[in-house]
């Protein structure tokens, strides 16, 4: 059975009180018995001196037992005690409690302690159980003399019945008072233990609630005893823990905000190689499930290269790095920096950076440089060759110089167009090409583009027309950018349409906007080329495009300008049936 502090305190105190009272009872009983015995002995000694004088004055022979027995009976009657007269050799001469005939049957008293002591020290005393009278007796003895020499010993004996009764009465009184005192002490103990245990229970309950998280709770202990000191200590501990907990929570919240605000993914593995922390950027980069803590990286990512890199990092002395390629619907490349944590908490910390866009930009930059170099090489080579030939023909064939000058002019114009398109594209991509979005009439923009392109269409034998009327809804766009987009699309259609083909400009309503369509009846484009038509320098037929003077940047400029005006571009084409380039702009 489990005992509480209150029960233990009560039982221990009750036990101590009981032991103390038993000890007090034993001590008082012994002291009372000793005092009463001493008083009885003192009284007997007074009577003994009287009996000793009487015995010393008797002149009867020591063989006359009748005379000595008569004397013992007389002295016993007068002194109200038992009187025994013993000869020096231990023979009983007379006894006030025995008949004369019984004296012969009594054993020798020479070895009795009070007799031996009286003969040796002139006085003796002893207390013992008497087998003769079957009572506890006190004996005192003293020698008596005849003619100046010791003739025998007189002994007085008195039952200690009165002493025993007095002791029993006193013990009963002591036990009664002890019981009353014990009952009162028990009651006071119960009250005191209940009061103290109540305070202890409150302190225990307060400590338990503080441990459960109620650190704002206070015991409000008063007083100067140990329980009050304990209560104040608990209050101080709760205040310190509350402050420390607030500090830890603030640091945790700051860490969480930093981790969640990072664009880099953070992965923390514990000592067993299981995920202990993964921020939002990491979950997005690795396409992780919502709950990954407690699982291994191989379970949630299933990428052997990542597993090897983390294993190497756990054994390496310093940080290591590596690139991973994730083969998914959209392939991605990740740069991983990982290092082992040598101090507790041990594990591996990895930072994951999605470099897919960076690698794509590097690829685009390389392709762009290669394409620009390739595009510039042809006209520059043509200009250089024409200039060298022109130098030689000026002396020998002056009439042929005009043809080479025309070549130089045509390729210089081609270079200028390429450079202009590159500058326009650069300004658009760097957002230095400032657009002023306003209400623009598509009809007016189409009319101006038609006016600029009509002569070229006529010379190319292409029928150029527009069905965009003055009632066409206005759009929210930049006027110059809209004309450039329409001009590029019309120019692109005229460039590839054969003689006898037609190019049509029209508009149609779209969801929340206006769709402008430039369609032709030209040769059309194979489906495999459609997804890349708006890439820089991408050509369906590279040789023919250069021959026609194209830079390969027109459609890329169209795409960037339309998107800058919050629109979308598209293309539909069927080989041999023509193409339909379109863009959608929001209504004004």
């Amino acid at each position: 059975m489990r005992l509480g502090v209150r029960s233990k305190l009560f039982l221990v105190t009750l036990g101590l009180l009981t032991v103390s009272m038993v000890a007090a009872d034993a001590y008082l009983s012994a002291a009372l018995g000793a005092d009463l015995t001493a008083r009885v002995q003192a009284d007997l000694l007074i009577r003994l001196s009287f009996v000793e004088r009487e015995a010393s004055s008797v002149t009867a022979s020591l063989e006359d037992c009748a005379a000595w027995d008569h004397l013992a009976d007389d002295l016993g009657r007068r002194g109200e005690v038992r009187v025994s007269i013993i000869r020096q050799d231990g023979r009983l001469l007379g006894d006030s409690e025995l008949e004369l005939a019984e004296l012969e049957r009594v054993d020798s008293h020479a070895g009795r302690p009070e007799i031996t002591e009286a003969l040796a020290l002139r006085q003796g005393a002893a207390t013992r159980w008497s087998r003769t009278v079957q009572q506890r007796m006190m004996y005192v003895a003293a020698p008596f003399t005849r003619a100046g020499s010791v003739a025998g010993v007189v002994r007085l004996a008195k039952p200690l019945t009165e002493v025993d009764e007095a002791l029993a009465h006193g013990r009963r009184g002591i036990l009664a008072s002890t019981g009353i005192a014990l009952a009162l002490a028990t009651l006071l103990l119960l009250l005191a233990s209940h009061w103290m245990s109540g305070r202890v229970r409150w302190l225990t309950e307060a400590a338990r609630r503080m441990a459960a998280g109620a650190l704002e709770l206070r015991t409000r202990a008063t007083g100067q005893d140990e329980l009050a000191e304990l209560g104040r200590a608990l209050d101080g501990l709760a205040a310190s823990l509350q402050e420390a907990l607030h500090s830890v929570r603030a640091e945790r919240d700051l860490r969480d905000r930093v981790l969640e605000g990072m664009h880099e993914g953070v992965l923390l593995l514990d000592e067993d190689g299981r995920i202990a922390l993964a921020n939002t950027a990491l979950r997005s980069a690795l396409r992780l499930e919502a709950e990954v803590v407690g699982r291994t990286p191989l379970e949630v990512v299933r990428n052997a290269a990542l597993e090897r890199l983390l294993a190497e990092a756990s054994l390496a002395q310093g940080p290591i790095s590596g690139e991973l390629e994730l083969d998914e619907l959209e392939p991605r490349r990740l740069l991983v920096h990982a290092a082992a944590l040598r101090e507790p908490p041990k594990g591996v910390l990895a930072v994951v950076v999605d470099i897919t866009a960076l690698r794509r930009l590097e690829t685009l930059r390389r392709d762009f440089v290669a394409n620009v170099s390739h595009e510039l090489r042809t006209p520059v080579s043509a200009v250089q060759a024409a200039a060298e030939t022109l130098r030689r023909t000026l002396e020998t064939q002056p009439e042929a110089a005009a043809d080479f000058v025309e070549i130089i002019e045509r390729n210089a114009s081609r270079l200028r167009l390429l450079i202009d398109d590159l500058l326009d594209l650069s300004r658009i991509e760097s957002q230095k090409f400032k657009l002023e979005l306003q209400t623009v009439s598509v009809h007016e923009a189409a009319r101006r583009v038609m006016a600029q392109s009509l002569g070229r269409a006529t010379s190319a034998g292409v029928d150029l027309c527009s069905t965009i009327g003055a009632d066409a809804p206005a759009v929210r766009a930049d006027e110059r950018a809209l004309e450039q987009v329409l001009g590029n699309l019309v120019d692109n259609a005229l460039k590839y349409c054969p003689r006898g083909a037609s190019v049509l400009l029209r508009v149609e309503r779209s969801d929340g906007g206006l769709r402008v369509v430039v369609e032709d009846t030209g040769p059309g484009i194979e489906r495999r080329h459609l997804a890349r038509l708006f890439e820089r320098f991408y050509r369906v037929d590279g040789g023919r495009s250069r021959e026609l003077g194209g830079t390969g940047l027109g459609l890329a400029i169209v795409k960037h300008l339309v998107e800058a005006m919050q629109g979308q571009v598209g293309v539909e084409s069927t080989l041999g049936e023509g193409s339909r380039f379109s863009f959608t702009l929001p209504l004004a």
Side-chain angles (χ1 to χ4, degrees):
M1 182 177 64
R2 181 181 177 185
L3 296 178
V5 174
R6 173 184 175 184
S7 301
K8 291 180 181 178
L9 180 63
F10 174 75
L11 291 177
V12 169
T13 309
L14 184 62
L16 290 175
L17 285 174
T18 303
V19 171
S20 300
M21 290 182 176
V22 169
D25 176 66
Y27 172 75
L28 291 176
S29 297
L32 180 60
D35 181 66
L36 292 175
T37 303
R39 291 186 181 187
V40 171
Q41 183 177 346
D43 179 64
L44 287 177
L45 288 175
I46 294 173
R47 299 182 189 189
L48 179 65
S49 62
F50 168 74
V51 173
E52 183 266 330
R53 285 196 302 271
E54 290 289 333
S56 297
S57 64
V58 174
T59 58
S61 171
L62 294 177
E63 299 296 333
D64 188 1
C65 290
W68 291 104
D69 185 58
H70 177 73
L71 176 63
D73 293 341
D74 181 55
L75 293 174
R77 185 175 58 256
R78 286 187 292 168
E80 297 181 352
V81 293
R82 179 182 179 182
V83 178
S84 300
I85 302 174
I86 301 103
R87 204 165 60 182
Q88 190 173 8
D89 59 1
R91 180 185 176 188
L92 185 62
L93 296 177
D95 192 298
S96 62
E97 299 290 334
L98 297 176
E99 297 295 331
L100 179 62
E102 296 176 335
L103 296 179
E104 295 293 335
R105 296 194 296 269
V106 177
D107 296 336
S108 174
H109 284 46
R112 305 291 170 90
E114 67 276 8
I115 304 299
T116 304
E117 186 179 1
L119 292 174
L121 302 175
R122 304 296 298 172
Q123 193 177 77
T127 301
R128 66 178 179 274
W129 181 263
S130 173
R131 290 179 294 175
T132 305
V133 296
Q134 297 296 311
Q135 287 182 336
R136 195 167 72 93
M137 304 290 289
M138 175 175 281
Y139 298 95
V140 293
F144 68 92
T145 60
R146 296 187 67 179
S149 62
V150 175
V153 175
V154 291
R155 184 185 70 178
L156 302 184
K158 185 174 184 178
L160 293 177
T161 306
E162 294 180 359
V163 173
D164 292 341
E165 290 177 355
L167 284 176
H169 181 72
R171 184 173 289 110
R172 285 194 296 270
I174 292 173
L175 288 176
S177 61
T178 300
I180 294 173
L182 190 60
L184 291 175
T186 302
L187 179 60
L188 293 176
L189 271 175
L190 285 173
L191 295 175
S193 62
H194 178 73
W195 175 70
M196 292 186 66
S197 64
R199 296 179 66 190
V200 172
R201 284 196 303 272
W202 161 240
L203 292 177
T204 303
E205 178 63 21
R208 185 179 294 112
R209 290 169 61 183
M210 290 174 183
L215 296 179
E216 70 283 353
L217 180 67
R218 296 294 181 269
T219 63
R220 312 294 182 189
T222 59
Q224 300 298 324
D225 58 1
E226 289 80 0
L227 291 179
E229 290 293 329
L230 176 60
R232 285 191 286 271
L234 283 175
D235 290 346
L237 179 61
S240 300
L241 286 176
Q242 190 174 24
E243 183 178 354
L245 186 60
H246 286 165
S247 177
V248 169
R249 284 176 176 170
E251 292 180 1
R252 181 200 61 191
D253 294 343
L254 177 61
R255 181 205 66 187
D256 291 343
R257 287 195 297 270
V258 169
L259 288 176
E260 293 305 314
M262 291 176 62
H263 294 291
E264 297 81 6
V266 177
L267 173 66
L268 178 63
L269 304 182
D270 60 19
E271 195 171 0
D272 298 327
R274 296 187 176 275
I275 298 175
L277 185 147
N279 67 346
T280 303
L282 181 80
R283 298 172 188 270
S284 176
L286 297 179
R287 305 290 193 267
L288 298 182
E289 301 173 0
E291 186 55 48
V292 297
V293 175
R295 304 170 65 183
T296 63
L298 192 59
E299 289 180 45
V300 298
V301 181
R302 300 189 181 280
N303 188 289
L306 176 61
E307 183 73 15
R308 284 195 302 272
L309 191 145
L310 294 175
E312 292 174 5
S314 65
L315 301 175
Q317 296 300 318
I320 62 174
S321 301
E323 285 192 20
L324 305 178
E325 185 169 357
L326 301 183
D327 296 327
E328 299 174 347
L329 294 177
E330 182 183 353
R332 290 174 300 118
R333 294 190 68 86
L334 303 176
L335 178 62
V336 181
H337 302 282
L341 303 177
R342 303 300 180 188
E343 299 295 332
K346 297 182 179 180
V348 176
L349 177 64
V351 177
V352 179
V353 183
D354 190 341
I355 57 172
T356 305
L358 180 62
R359 292 292 182 259
R360 185 181 296 116
L361 288 175
E362 290 180 356
T363 302
L364 290 176
R365 178 184 57 81
R366 289 194 299 267
D367 293 345
F368 181 75
V369 172
N371 287 327
V372 169
S373 300
H374 184 72
E375 294 294 333
L376 289 174
R377 184 181 298 115
T378 300
V380 169
S381 299
V383 169
Q384 184 180 7
E388 291 175 355
T389 307
L390 178 61
R391 184 182 300 113
R392 291 195 300 268
T393 57
L394 282 175
E395 299 177 356
T396 58
Q397 297 177 334
E399 66 280 0
D403 296 333
F404 296 107
V405 171
E406 184 196 0
I407 294 174
I408 293 173
E409 289 178 347
R410 186 171 64 251
N411 283 281
S413 177
R414 183 177 172 185
L415 284 172
R416 182 183 60 78
L417 291 174
L418 178 60
I419 293 171
D420 288 344
D421 285 347
L422 285 173
L423 290 174
D424 287 345
L425 187 60
S426 176
R427 285 197 301 270
I428 294 170
E429 289 184 340
S430 64
Q431 298 182 349
K432 292 181 180 179
F433 190 84
K434 301 299 182 182
L435 298 180
E436 184 178 351
L437 299 182
Q438 57 186 349
T439 301
V440 178
S441 171
V442 179
H443 168 70
E444 289 298 323
R447 186 182 61 79
R448 287 191 288 269
V449 170
M450 289 286 294
Q452 295 170 4
S453 305
L454 195 56
R456 182 182 171 193
T458 302
S459 62
V462 176
D463 182 19
L464 177 62
C465 62
S466 172
T467 61
I468 303 175
D471 58 346
V475 295
R476 182 171 177 78
D478 181 89
E479 189 173 4
R480 290 183 305 146
L482 178 57
E483 289 185 16
Q484 186 172 356
V485 169
L486 277 173
N488 283 3
L489 292 179
V490 170
D491 181 70
N492 190 68
L494 293 176
K495 190 183 300 179
Y496 293 101
C497 282
R499 298 184 71 84
S502 64
V503 177
L504 173 65
L505 277 69
R506 62 182 177 85
V507 294
E508 59 186 31
R509 288 274 188 169
S510 179
D511 293 337
L514 186 69
R515 185 182 183 195
V516 182
V517 182
V518 178
E519 59 182 3
D520 62 65
T521 58
I525 305 169
E526 293 183 39
R527 182 179 296 274
R528 61 189 178 90
H529 297 294
L530 297 181
R532 301 188 60 187
L533 279 180
F534 295 96
E535 293 181 10
R536 290 171 292 185
F537 297 111
Y538 185 81
R539 292 185 173 89
V540 176
D541 186 348
R544 184 162 181 251
S545 296
R546 293 188 185 92
E547 179 184 345
L548 296 172
T551 62
L553 297 174
L555 292 180
I557 293 173
V558 167
K559 179 177 181 294
H560 281 83
L561 286 176
V562 171
E563 290 178 350
M565 292 185 291
Q566 302 175 1
Q568 295 179 341
V569 296
V571 60
E572 299 173 7
S573 182
T574 304
L575 192 63
E577 297 181 6
S579 304
R580 287 166 298 283
F581 286 86
S582 64
F583 61 92
T584 304
L585 293 176
L587 293 173

